[in-house]
Amino acid sequence: MHQVADRENLLGLPQSGLEAYFAAMGEKPYHARQVMRWMYQRGVTDFEQMSDLSKSLRQRLSGSAVIELPKVLSQHDSVDGTVKWLFASGMGQAVEAVFIPEPGRGTLCISSQVGCALDCVFCATGAQGFNKNLTAAEIIGQVWHATQTLPRRSNGGFAVTNVVFMGMGEPLANYRCLVPALDLLLSDLAYGLSRRRVTVSTVGIVAHIDRLGDECNVALAVSLHAPNNALRDRLVPINRVHPIEELLETCWRYAAKHANRFITFEYVMLRGVNDSLKHADELVNLLKGKPAKVNLIPFNAFAGTQFSRSAADTIRQFQDKLRYRGLVATTRKTRGDDIDAACGQLAGKVSDRVRSRLSEKHMRMASA
Ligand code: SAH
C-alpha cells in the first residue's frame, strides 16, 4: 500500500514534464506523446491497456506511476441540460464543475481552488474563505471526467468544446498549477482546444495577467463589476491594491500582445448598487474605443447574501445604454440555477462548512 502513495501521478503533467519523466526512467521521451493520447483522448487510466507501449514499459509504469483522477462525489442534472459535478479534493473538501450545453457548443466551467481568498462580497465561494489550491491533476481531472462521461457530439468529438475558469477560486492566484492545465487544454495530444475556446476569468491580479499574456495567450475575462474605484473597492477588495486604472492598463497590454483580441469584462448586476444608467455611462467612458466587450451577469443569490438581482428591465436598459454608446455588450443567460450551478453559487457543499462561514461573515459585516 505504501508504494501506491509513492507512485507519481502522471495526470496533469504537461508534455514537457511527462517527457522528463520518461527521460528520468531512461526511456525515450516520445512515449509521453503516446501516454497523453491514451489518458486524455481515449480516457484510459490503466497502463496495461496502452497497447502501443511494450509490455516491459507497461509493467515499469504500473510499478512507478499512476493516473489518478479526482473522485466524483455527486452529479446533478438541471432541467435545462446543465450538469454539475462535485469532486473530492482531500481532507473533506470539494470543488464543483459545471457543463453548460448550447446549440453548437458545450462549455465546461471549472474550478481552480477550494474556496477563494479574494473575498468579493457578492460571491458564495469568497464567503467560504480560502482552503487550498487545486493541483494541475485536480484541475484537468474535471475536464477528463466531463469529456469521458458526457455523450459525444454528432461529429464524434467531445461534448466539451470550450472551457472557462469561472468555477470556484481565482485561477491567477494558483498560477503554478493553472499553466500545466492550460497546456493540456491546448495540446493536440490532449484536448486540442483553440486559444479562443479557453477563457481564464480573473479578478485582476495584474502581474499574473502580464505573465499569462506572455506564456499562454488564452482568452481573458476580467471581473470588473464597478465603473469607479470607490465602488469597486467595496465590491472587489483587491481593487484597493490594483485600482481600475492599473488593471485596465494591464488588460490593454494583454490585448495588444495578440492582435488586439477582445477582453471580456464581467459585470454582475446588483440591484441598487452598480446598476444605474450613470454607472453604465461611467463604464462606457472606461472602455470605449478599447478592445473590450461587456458581459452583464444577473446576480445569483445564495444563502446569507445581502445582495439581490437587478430587475430584468434595469439590466436591459443598462445593456441598451452600453450598446447605444458603442460598446459590445451581452447579458449572460442564467443556467442551472435549479441545481445551484449558476455563476457565484458554487461552494462545493459537502457539509455545513459554507453555511457556518457565511453566518460568521454576515456577523462581521453587520458589526462593521
Ligand atoms: N475568480 C475569478 C472567477 C470567478 S467566477 C474571477 O473573479 O473572475 C466567474 C464570475 O462569476 C466572476 O465574474 C464572478 O465575479 C462572478 N460571480 C461571483 N459571484 C456571483 C454571483 N453571486 N452572481 C453572479 N455572478 C457572480
Side-chain angles (χ1 to χ4, degrees):
M1 287 308 287
H2 183 64
Q3 266 186 327
V4 173
D6 289 344
R7 289 188 213 163
E8 172 126 3
N9 188 6
L10 302 189
L11 189 81
L13 286 180
Q15 185 178 348
S16 57
L18 203 52
E19 285 173 350
Y21 183 80
F22 280 104
M25 285 173 86
E27 297 283 353
K28 294 274 189 297
Y30 75 83
H31 294 308
R33 299 204 295 273
Q34 296 171 302
V35 171
M36 282 175 74
R37 288 199 191 95
W38 281 111
M39 273 198 277
Y40 301 108
Q41 296 180 350
R42 301 180 196 135
V44 169
T45 58
D46 176 2
F47 297 116
E48 283 307 320
Q49 290 179 33
M50 300 185 178
S51 52
D52 56 358
L53 303 181
S54 70
K55 196 149 179 43
S56 68
L57 179 55
R58 283 184 251 164
Q59 276 168 0
R60 284 192 74 191
L61 282 173
S62 301
S64 65
V66 288
I67 297 171
E68 192 184 328
L69 290 151
K71 188 165 174 261
V72 180
L73 297 174
S74 64
Q75 173 176 336
H76 294 279
D77 295 84
S78 162
V79 291
D80 69 14
T82 302
V83 184
K84 178 172 88 165
W85 297 275
L86 186 68
F87 294 94
S89 46
M91 314 234 291
Q93 316 269 12
V95 293
E96 290 170 322
V98 179
F99 176 71
I100 306 140
E102 284 172 291
R105 70 173 179 185
T107 302
L108 185 70
C109 174
I110 60 175
S111 294
S112 55
Q113 299 182 311
V114 188
C116 184
L118 275 306
D119 212 19
C120 300
V121 294
F122 49 82
C123 177
T125 307
Q128 70 173 273
F130 175 71
N131 293 295
K132 69 159 215 161
N133 279 327
L134 295 186
T135 62
E138 288 170 324
I139 297 174
I140 209 69
Q142 299 166 62
V143 182
W144 189 98
H145 189 77
T147 52
Q148 293 303 323
T149 56
L150 294 167
R152 288 189 176 241
R153 303 166 66 77
S154 51
N155 66 7
F158 287 136
V160 176
T161 61
N162 295 59
V163 173
V164 297
F165 284 80
M166 294 185 187
M168 293 167 64
E170 167 51 45
L172 293 187
N174 185 10
Y175 195 82
R176 198 175 59 81
C177 298
L178 173 70
V179 170
L182 289 175
D183 228 75
L184 293 169
L185 289 171
L186 302 177
S187 167
D188 283 339
L189 300 167
Y191 296 110
L193 298 178
S194 81
R195 294 171 194 279
R196 291 176 295 113
R197 291 180 177 269
V198 177
T199 303
V200 169
S201 176
T202 178
V203 74
I205 299 176
V206 302
H208 285 154
I209 294 179
D210 278 326
R211 269 186 80 182
L212 188 74
D214 294 333
E215 293 173 13
C216 287
N217 174 227
V218 290
L220 186 69
V222 173
S223 292
L224 192 58
H225 303 316
N228 61 63
N229 284 319
L231 184 54
R232 194 164 190 267
D233 279 353
R234 256 178 61 210
L235 300 178
V236 181
I238 192 140
N239 197 66
R240 298 171 205 159
V241 184
H242 302 301
I244 290 178
E245 300 70 30
E246 187 189 352
L247 173 59
L248 292 183
E249 281 296 306
T250 314
C251 290
W252 311 142
R253 269 202 302 279
Y254 190 97
K257 283 176 192 159
H258 315 296
N260 271 353
R261 179 126 56 71
F262 275 49
I263 291 176
T264 301
F265 290 90
E266 294 157 288
Y267 195 101
V268 64
M269 294 298 284
L270 303 168
R271 182 186 293 252
V273 176
N274 64 354
D275 62 353
S276 72
L277 291 180
K278 186 166 162 288
H279 291 124
D281 270 324
E282 276 185 282
L283 189 56
V284 175
N285 295 342
L286 286 180
L287 304 181
K288 197 160 166 51
K290 300 293 188 184
K293 51 188 173 191
V294 176
N295 191 213
L296 302 176
I297 315 177
F299 171 69
N300 293 304
F302 52 90
T305 182
Q306 57 172 329
F307 296 102
S308 55
R309 180 185 292 186
S310 308
D313 271 354
T314 309
I315 298 177
R316 207 170 308 121
Q317 284 161 13
F318 195 98
Q319 176 178 310
D320 287 349
K321 176 77 159 183
L322 299 181
R323 286 185 172 171
Y324 180 73
R325 291 202 51 204
L327 289 190
V328 179
T330 50
T331 298
R332 193 173 294 174
K333 211 166 150 230
T334 299
R335 298 285 299 264
D337 47 353
D338 57 329
I339 54 166
D340 279 353
C343 299
Q345 293 185 319
L346 303 185
K349 281 182 221 170
V350 271
S351 63
D352 286 339
R353 178 165 52 89
V354 180
R355 193 147 304 157
S356 58
R357 292 263 171 87
L358 268 176
S359 48
E360 261 170 45
K361 179 169 165 143
H362 225 68
M363 279 155 60
R364 280 208 310 276
M365 285 202 293
S367 60

